[in-house]
Amino acid sequence: MKHTKVKDLLNSASALKQVNVKGWVRTFRNNQFIALNDGSTINNIQCVVDFENTPEETLKRITTGAAISVTGNLVESQGAGQKFEIQVNKLQILGDSDAEKFPMQPKKHSLEFLRENAHLRVRTNAFGAIMRVRSVLSYAVHTYFQNKGFVYVNTPIITGSDAEGAGEMFKVTALPFENTPRTEEGKVNYKEDFFGKETNLTVSGQLEAETYAMALGQVYTFGPTFRAENSNTSRHLAEFWMIEPEVAFNDLNDNMDLAEDFIQYVIKYTMDKCQDDLKFLEGRLTEEEKLKPQAERSEMKLLEKLNFVLENNFKRVSYSEAIDVLRNCKPNKNKKFNYIIDEWGTDLQSEHERYLVEKHFKCPVILFDYPANIKAFYMRLNEDGKTVRAMDILFPGIGEIVGGSQREERYEVLVEKMKALGIDEEELWWYLDTRRFGSAVHSGFGLGFERLVLFVTGMTNIRDVIPFPRTPGSSEF
């Protein structure tokens, strides 16, 4: 008999005879009531067992975490909380669970404990909800770009270039660690390596995506990226996913329009599709906020925060204007910021970004025209010679969520910037070719997918919004 998803049974228009459902036991009480979940919804379905006619040996095997198959009639529930339940007439144990050793007991667990059991944490309500939201967000990303006529490009994971110029990259090598071949100068001889040169795991697909945008018009990447930054914080991962559109003939204003429209679309799509999960996550966040000191509590609930992004136009503010606001604001004058704003050219921190969004402008903010010396080499230099056509989108509770720019399309200017930063022209000869042959104005942005999931779910640690987090000292599972 074909089984039906719990979600479909709970949404049934009427009672049904002889349905089959398969899932995992969340709780079993009074030797009669099973709360069963199959991952299709955050809600369990109650299965009422005829314990008088069920063998005692079978009843003993119905434990938390066990996989079972239940067949019976879907009837109107006698209890509160759900419309339907299943009156069981056949129950089969598919996989036993050692109830005493099963880590995911029906009680509150710390997030740290759950990270140590990342292979099982998705069986909890919170992580089931987070991963369903992540899945829908991922689908929404593709839906948006595909509906807009973008071409999905798979950029390489192994690369010989450092798009960000920060040098925090994982090396890829087939050379032996013992008796590593060396040059006459004593350096590693990468000419004997698999690729014949030094290669790394990519930090971004942007540079390669730009080359495709200059032929296909509008493209996007959505794939894994890696950064060997030794930051053991709630905001950093060594392996994460990036969304990176690149569009030919778009200037900075077009880029800001695209980013705002895109991010509002995917949030709205997810809110429509994940109402039960987001309602649960909002309740979870509310309980977490109660444990914080009053000064650290968020002023907005989760759904309120999401609607804040949907219902407000994003305020566009130059970096220079933002610096003036921050320099003269009370938290800065009273030295309440951890990082005091003294002068133009300072790289903004999360506390500054959140102040602009939550306290001053009270709407999402797009900052643009940043100092050139704190931004990447590929961003277009403005006529003032000291700022670039960069943009960052700032959100409540999280600060920067999107970073992008109009790219430097002028060959001579790009070469000069690379020389000033010590970037080898020979390494990026192919990138420079796009400026030699039919160069044009083009723009793009990057959005760390986990940062987006963090915002939409209300979680506070980025390790909790990716199935198996990779962080300094941790590559378990």
Side-chain angles (χ1 to χ4, degrees):
M1 183 179 183
K2 188 175 181 180
H3 69 277
T4 306
K5 291 180 180 178
V6 169
K7 182 178 181 179
D8 294 334
L9 291 176
L10 293 176
N11 290 333
S12 177
S14 61
L16 299 168
K17 289 187 176 181
Q18 287 302 96
V19 299
N20 174 258
V21 63
K22 296 176 181 178
W24 295 271
V25 176
R26 287 290 176 84
T27 61
F28 181 43
R29 52 190 180 85
N30 301 334
N31 259 11
Q32 186 174 21
F33 302 105
I34 300 171
L36 193 68
N37 192 283
D38 66 355
S40 62
T41 172
I42 197 166
N43 299 307
N44 304 321
I45 191 164
Q46 179 166 280
C47 304
V48 184
V49 179
D50 182 357
F51 64 91
E52 292 182 355
N53 295 313
T54 304
E56 186 175 345
E57 185 59 34
T58 300
L59 291 173
K60 288 180 179 179
R61 294 172 64 193
I62 306 173
T63 57
T64 299
I68 66 173
S69 172
V70 167
T71 304
N73 296 328
L74 186 72
V75 300
E76 291 188 10
S77 180
Q78 301 301 307
Q82 64 182 28
K83 185 178 179 181
F84 293 111
E85 63 186 21
I86 297 176
Q87 292 288 342
V88 180
N89 53 45
K90 182 181 178 182
L91 188 148
Q92 180 184 2
I93 307 293
L94 302 177
D96 289 293
S97 176
D98 187 332
E100 292 184 5
K101 295 182 179 179
F102 183 55
M104 302 298 110
Q105 294 296 323
K107 63 178 183 179
K108 186 176 178 63
H109 296 285
S110 72
L111 292 174
E112 189 58 44
F113 172 82
L114 293 173
R115 286 178 211 127
E116 294 168 359
N117 292 275
H119 61 307
L120 295 173
R121 66 179 179 173
V122 74
R123 297 200 195 184
T124 65
N125 282 336
F127 282 89
I130 291 165
M131 292 308 155
R132 279 188 295 270
V133 168
R134 181 186 171 102
S135 175
V136 171
L137 266 173
S138 178
Y139 183 82
V141 169
H142 286 291
T143 300
Y144 177 86
F145 287 121
Q146 292 293 326
N147 287 346
K148 294 283 186 180
F150 280 68
V151 177
Y152 179 37
V153 176
N154 302 117
T155 52
I157 290 174
I158 299 173
T159 179
S161 61
D162 182 356
E164 297 301 319
E168 297 163 336
M169 305 180 78
F170 290 102
K171 293 190 185 303
V172 175
T173 182
L175 292 175
F177 286 101
E178 296 180 4
N179 301 317
T180 304
R182 302 279 176 175
T183 65
E184 291 182 359
E185 294 79 21
K187 296 180 179 180
V188 174
N189 188 358
Y190 286 106
K191 288 184 178 179
E192 294 190 26
D193 206 349
F194 186 90
F195 292 106
K197 62 177 292 187
E198 186 174 355
T199 52
N200 311 284
L201 294 180
T202 186
V203 298
S204 168
Q206 177 204 314
L207 303 188
E208 292 87 352
E210 280 189 58
T211 70
Y212 267 66
M214 298 310 289
L216 299 175
Q218 48 185 24
V219 303
Y220 73 104
T221 76
F222 185 9
T225 50
F226 308 85
R227 193 157 297 176
E229 182 180 355
N230 192 16
S231 296
N232 222 331
T233 76
S234 62
R235 293 165 60 90
H236 291 87
L237 289 167
E239 177 184 344
F240 53 98
W241 285 65
M242 284 289 289
I243 303 158
E244 297 175 295
E246 291 290 330
V247 186
F249 315 118
N250 266 16
D251 63 14
L252 185 67
N253 288 322
D254 298 322
N255 204 36
M256 291 191 281
D257 290 342
L258 175 66
E260 181 173 346
D261 189 56
F262 163 73
I263 208 162
Q264 288 183 328
Y265 173 89
V266 295
I267 290 175
K268 177 68 166 60
Y269 185 98
T270 306
M271 289 180 72
D272 290 342
K273 298 291 184 182
C274 298
Q275 294 180 24
D276 287 345
D277 287 323
L278 290 175
K279 184 177 179 181
F280 170 83
L281 290 169
E282 179 176 67
R284 181 203 162 280
L285 180 60
T286 299
E287 291 302 311
E288 290 287 321
E289 288 289 312
K290 291 179 182 177
L291 302 176
K292 296 179 181 179
Q294 186 70 38
E296 296 179 15
R297 294 179 188 176
S298 173
E299 295 181 4
M300 288 186 278
K301 292 186 177 181
L302 178 58
L303 294 177
E304 184 182 357
K305 188 171 62 173
L306 298 180
N307 280 314
F308 176 85
V309 171
L310 297 184
E311 295 168 1
N312 286 290
N313 292 325
F314 294 12
K315 178 74 173 177
R316 301 182 183 187
V317 182
S318 73
Y319 168 89
S320 297
E321 181 184 345
I323 285 293
D324 286 340
V325 169
L326 292 168
R327 188 189 289 135
N328 295 308
C329 72
K330 285 184 178 179
N332 195 62
K333 288 184 174 180
N334 296 335
K335 301 192 182 302
K336 297 293 185 181
F337 284 146
N338 292 320
Y339 298 88
I340 303 302
I341 301 292
D342 289 323
E343 58 186 18
W344 190 92
T346 302
D347 203 354
L348 301 186
Q349 304 296 318
S350 179
E351 60 181 342
H352 308 133
E353 295 165 343
R354 290 187 59 184
Y355 175 84
L356 293 171
V357 172
E358 298 168 27
K359 303 296 183 182
H360 188 79
F361 293 108
K362 297 184 178 179
C363 65
V365 172
I366 307 181
L367 293 187
F368 63 91
D369 285 356
Y370 278 80
N373 63 352
I374 63 171
K375 289 296 183 180
F377 76 95
Y378 50 73
M379 298 184 178
R380 193 184 201 279
L381 190 66
N382 282 318
E383 300 308 316
D384 61 14
K386 66 176 186 176
T387 61
V388 289
R389 299 294 280 163
M391 54 161 271
D392 287 341
I393 297 182
L394 315 180
F395 270 13
I398 199 168
E400 180 195 338
I401 194 167
V402 169
S405 71
Q406 182 175 323
R407 313 312 190 189
E408 182 55 79
E409 85 281 7
R410 297 166 296 184
Y411 175 80
E412 294 80 6
V413 177
L414 185 59
V415 168
E416 285 301 314
K417 291 180 73 175
M418 290 171 66
K419 284 180 179 177
L421 294 170
I423 298 172
D424 189 352
E425 291 179 49
E426 290 185 9
E427 279 192 16
L428 290 177
W429 64 269
W430 53 271
Y431 185 68
L432 289 171
D433 267 1
T434 61
R435 275 65 175 176
R436 289 190 184 98
F437 310 126
S439 184
V441 168
H442 61 288
S443 300
F445 61 83
L447 168 57
F449 185 55
E450 282 71 31
R451 190 69 65 88
L452 177 62
V453 181
L454 201 69
F455 180 76
V456 174
T457 60
M459 301 301 289
T460 55
N461 193 314
I462 204 163
R463 303 175 191 198
D464 298 326
V465 296
I466 192 169
F468 299 102
R470 297 289 179 255
T471 56
S474 177
S475 60
E476 200 68 63
F477 311 107

Coordinates of all heavy atoms in Angstrom, one line a residue, residues 133 136-137 140-141 260-274 278 302-303 305-311 314 364 395 401 447 452-453 455-456:
V133 N 12.8 25.5 5.5 CA 12.9 26.9 5.1 C 14.1 27.0 4.1 O 14.0 27.7 3.1 CB 13.0 27.8 6.3 CG1 13.4 29.2 5.9 CG2 11.7 27.8 7.1
V136 N 13.2 25.7 0.7 CA 12.3 26.6 -0.1 C 13.0 27.8 -0.5 O 12.8 28.3 -1.6 CB 11.0 26.9 0.8 CG1 10.2 28.0 0.2 CG2 10.2 25.6 1.0
L137 N 13.8 28.4 0.3 CA 14.6 29.6 -0.1 C 15.5 29.3 -1.3 O 15.6 30.1 -2.2 CB 15.5 30.0 1.1 CG 14.9 31.1 2.0 CD1 15.9 31.3 3.2 CD2 14.7 32.4 1.3
A140 N 13.4 29.2 -4.3 CA 13.0 30.5 -4.6 C 14.1 31.3 -5.4 O 13.8 32.1 -6.3 CB 12.6 31.3 -3.4
V141 N 15.3 31.0 -5.0 CA 16.5 31.7 -5.7 C 16.5 31.3 -7.2 O 16.5 32.2 -8.1 CB 17.8 31.3 -5.0 CG1 19.0 31.7 -5.9 CG2 17.9 31.9 -3.6
E260 N 17.4 44.5 -4.6 CA 16.2 44.7 -3.7 C 15.0 43.9 -4.2 O 14.4 43.3 -3.4 CB 15.9 46.2 -3.8 CG 14.6 46.6 -2.9 CD 14.4 48.1 -2.9 OE1 15.3 48.9 -3.3 OE2 13.3 48.5 -2.4
D261 N 14.8 43.8 -5.5 CA 13.7 43.0 -6.0 C 13.9 41.5 -5.7 O 13.0 40.9 -5.3 CB 13.6 43.3 -7.5 CG 12.3 42.6 -8.1 OD1 11.2 43.0 -7.6 OD2 12.4 41.8 -9.0
F262 N 15.1 41.1 -5.9 CA 15.4 39.7 -5.7 C 15.2 39.3 -4.2 O 14.5 38.3 -3.9 CB 16.9 39.4 -6.1 CG 17.4 38.1 -5.5 CD1 17.0 36.9 -6.0 CD2 18.3 38.1 -4.5 CE1 17.5 35.7 -5.5 CE2 18.8 36.9 -3.9 CZ 18.4 35.7 -4.5
I263 N 15.7 40.0 -3.3 CA 15.7 39.6 -1.9 C 14.3 39.7 -1.4 O 13.8 38.9 -0.5 CB 16.7 40.4 -1.1 CG1 17.2 39.6 0.1 CG2 16.2 41.8 -0.7 CD1 18.4 40.2 0.8
Q264 N 13.5 40.7 -1.8 CA 12.1 40.8 -1.4 C 11.3 39.6 -2.0 O 10.4 39.0 -1.3 CB 11.5 42.1 -1.8 CG 12.0 43.3 -1.0 CD 11.3 44.6 -1.4 OE1 11.0 44.8 -2.6 NE2 11.2 45.5 -0.4
Y265 N 11.6 39.2 -3.2 CA 10.9 38.1 -3.8 C 11.1 36.8 -3.0 O 10.2 36.1 -2.7 CB 11.3 37.9 -5.3 CG 10.8 36.6 -5.9 CD1 9.5 36.7 -6.6 CD2 11.4 35.4 -5.8 CE1 9.0 35.5 -7.1 CE2 10.9 34.3 -6.4 CZ 9.7 34.3 -7.0 OH 9.1 33.2 -7.6
V266 N 12.4 36.4 -2.7 CA 12.7 35.2 -2.1 C 12.1 35.1 -0.7 O 11.7 34.0 -0.2 CB 14.2 34.8 -2.1 CG1 14.6 34.6 -3.6 CG2 15.0 35.8 -1.4
I267 N 12.1 36.2 0.0 CA 11.5 36.3 1.4 C 10.0 36.1 1.3 O 9.4 35.3 2.1 CB 11.9 37.5 2.1 CG1 13.4 37.5 2.4 CG2 11.1 37.7 3.4 CD1 14.0 38.8 3.1
K268 N 9.4 36.8 0.4 CA 7.9 36.7 0.3 C 7.5 35.3 -0.1 O 6.6 34.7 0.4 CB 7.4 37.7 -0.8 CG 5.9 37.6 -1.1 CD 5.1 38.1 0.1 CE 3.7 38.4 -0.3 NZ 2.9 37.2 -0.8
Y269 N 8.3 34.7 -1.1 CA 8.0 33.3 -1.5 C 8.0 32.3 -0.4 O 7.2 31.5 -0.2 CB 9.0 32.9 -2.6 CG 8.7 31.6 -3.2 CD1 8.0 31.5 -4.5 CD2 9.2 30.4 -2.6 CE1 7.8 30.2 -5.0 CE2 8.9 29.2 -3.2 CZ 8.2 29.1 -4.4 OH 8.0 27.9 -5.0
T270 N 9.1 32.5 0.5 CA 9.3 31.6 1.6 C 8.2 31.8 2.7 O 7.8 30.8 3.3 CB 10.7 31.8 2.1 OG1 11.7 31.6 1.1 CG2 11.0 30.7 3.2
M271 N 7.9 33.0 2.9 CA 6.8 33.3 3.9 C 5.5 32.7 3.5 O 4.7 32.2 4.3 CB 6.6 34.8 4.1 CG 7.8 35.5 4.8 SD 7.6 37.2 5.1 CE 6.3 37.2 6.3
D272 N 5.2 32.7 2.2 CA 4.0 32.1 1.7 C 4.0 30.6 1.8 O 3.0 29.9 2.1 CB 3.7 32.5 0.2 CG 3.4 33.9 0.1 OD1 3.0 34.6 1.1 OD2 3.5 34.5 -1.1
K273 N 5.1 30.0 1.6 CA 5.2 28.5 1.5 C 5.5 27.8 2.9 O 5.3 26.6 3.0 CB 6.3 28.1 0.5 CG 6.1 28.5 -0.9 CD 5.0 27.8 -1.5 CE 4.8 28.1 -3.0 NZ 3.7 27.4 -3.6
C274 N 6.1 28.6 3.8 CA 6.5 28.0 5.1 C 5.9 28.6 6.3 O 6.5 28.9 7.3 CB 8.1 28.2 5.2 SG 9.0 27.4 3.9
L278 N 7.7 28.9 10.0 CA 8.1 30.3 10.4 C 7.3 30.7 11.7 O 7.9 31.4 12.6 CB 7.9 31.3 9.3 CG 8.8 31.2 8.1 CD1 8.4 32.2 7.0 CD2 10.2 31.4 8.5
L302 N 10.0 37.8 14.7 CA 10.6 37.3 13.4 C 9.7 37.7 12.2 O 10.2 38.3 11.2 CB 10.7 35.8 13.5 CG 11.2 35.1 12.2 CD1 12.6 35.6 11.8 CD2 11.2 33.6 12.3
L303 N 8.4 37.4 12.2 CA 7.6 37.8 11.1 C 7.5 39.3 10.9 O 7.4 39.8 9.7 CB 6.2 37.2 11.3 CG 6.2 35.6 11.2 CD1 4.7 35.1 11.5 CD2 6.7 35.1 9.9
K305 N 9.9 41.3 11.5 CA 11.2 41.7 10.8 C 11.2 41.4 9.3 O 11.7 42.1 8.5 CB 12.3 40.9 11.5 CG 13.7 41.3 11.1 CD 14.8 40.7 12.0 CE 14.8 39.2 11.9 NZ 15.9 38.6 12.7
L306 N 10.6 40.2 9.0 CA 10.5 39.9 7.6 C 9.6 40.8 6.8 O 9.9 41.2 5.7 CB 10.0 38.4 7.4 CG 11.0 37.3 8.0 CD1 10.3 36.0 7.8 CD2 12.3 37.4 7.5
N307 N 8.5 41.2 7.4 CA 7.6 42.1 6.8 C 8.2 43.5 6.7 O 7.9 44.3 5.8 CB 6.3 42.2 7.5 CG 5.4 41.0 7.2 OD1 5.2 40.7 6.0 ND2 4.8 40.4 8.2
F308 N 9.1 43.8 7.6 CA 9.8 45.1 7.6 C 10.6 45.2 6.3 O 10.7 46.3 5.7 CB 10.8 45.1 8.8 CG 11.7 46.3 8.9 CD1 11.2 47.5 9.5 CD2 13.0 46.3 8.4 CE1 12.1 48.6 9.6 CE2 13.8 47.4 8.5 CZ 13.4 48.5 9.1
V309 N 11.2 44.1 5.9 CA 11.9 44.1 4.6 C 11.0 44.2 3.4 O 11.3 44.9 2.4 CB 12.8 42.9 4.5 CG1 13.5 42.7 3.2 CG2 13.9 42.9 5.6
L310 N 9.9 43.5 3.5 CA 8.9 43.5 2.4 C 8.2 44.8 2.2 O 7.9 45.2 1.1 CB 7.9 42.4 2.5 CG 8.5 40.9 2.6 CD1 7.3 40.0 2.7 CD2 9.3 40.6 1.4
E311 N 7.9 45.5 3.3 CA 7.0 46.6 3.2 C 7.7 48.0 3.1 O 7.0 49.0 2.9 CB 6.1 46.6 4.5 CG 5.1 45.4 4.5 CD 4.4 45.2 5.8 OE1 4.7 46.0 6.7 OE2 3.7 44.2 6.0
F314 N 14.0 50.2 0.1 CA 15.4 50.2 0.7 C 15.9 51.6 0.5 O 15.9 52.2 -0.6 CB 16.3 49.2 0.0 CG 15.9 47.8 0.3 CD1 14.7 47.4 0.8 CD2 16.8 46.8 -0.1 CE1 14.4 46.1 1.1 CE2 16.5 45.4 0.1 CZ 15.3 45.1 0.7
P364 N 15.4 49.0 5.6 CA 16.6 48.5 5.0 C 17.4 49.5 4.3 O 16.8 50.5 3.7 CB 16.1 47.4 4.0 CG 14.7 47.0 4.6 CD 14.2 48.3 5.1
F395 N 20.5 44.9 6.8 CA 19.2 44.5 7.3 C 19.2 44.6 8.8 O 20.2 44.6 9.5 CB 19.0 43.0 6.9 CG 18.3 42.8 5.6 CD1 18.1 43.9 4.7 CD2 17.8 41.6 5.3 CE1 17.5 43.7 3.5 CE2 17.1 41.4 4.0 CZ 17.0 42.4 3.2
I401 N 24.0 42.1 4.4 CA 23.5 40.8 3.9 C 23.9 40.6 2.4 O 24.0 39.5 2.0 CB 22.0 40.6 4.1 CG1 21.6 39.2 3.9 CG2 21.2 41.6 3.3 CD1 20.2 38.8 4.4
L447 N 25.6 37.2 -2.4 CA 24.7 37.0 -1.2 C 25.1 35.7 -0.6 O 24.9 34.6 -1.2 CB 23.3 37.1 -1.5 CG 22.2 36.6 -0.5 CD1 22.4 37.4 0.8 CD2 20.8 36.8 -1.0
L452 N 21.4 34.6 4.5 CA 20.0 34.8 4.2 C 19.1 33.9 5.0 O 18.1 34.3 5.6 CB 19.7 34.6 2.7 CG 18.3 34.7 2.2 CD1 17.7 36.1 2.4 CD2 18.2 34.3 0.7
V453 N 19.5 32.6 5.1 CA 18.7 31.6 5.9 C 18.7 32.1 7.4 O 17.7 31.9 8.1 CB 19.3 30.2 5.8 CG1 18.5 29.2 6.6 CG2 19.3 29.8 4.3
F455 N 18.8 35.1 8.6 CA 17.8 36.2 8.7 C 16.4 35.7 8.7 O 15.6 36.1 9.5 CB 18.1 37.2 7.6 CG 17.1 38.4 7.7 CD1 17.3 39.4 8.6 CD2 16.0 38.5 6.8 CE1 16.4 40.5 8.7 CE2 15.1 39.5 6.9 CZ 15.3 40.5 7.8
V456 N 16.1 34.8 7.8 CA 14.7 34.4 7.6 C 14.2 33.5 8.7 O 13.1 33.5 9.1 CB 14.5 33.7 6.2 CG1 13.1 33.1 6.1 CG2 14.8 34.7 5.1

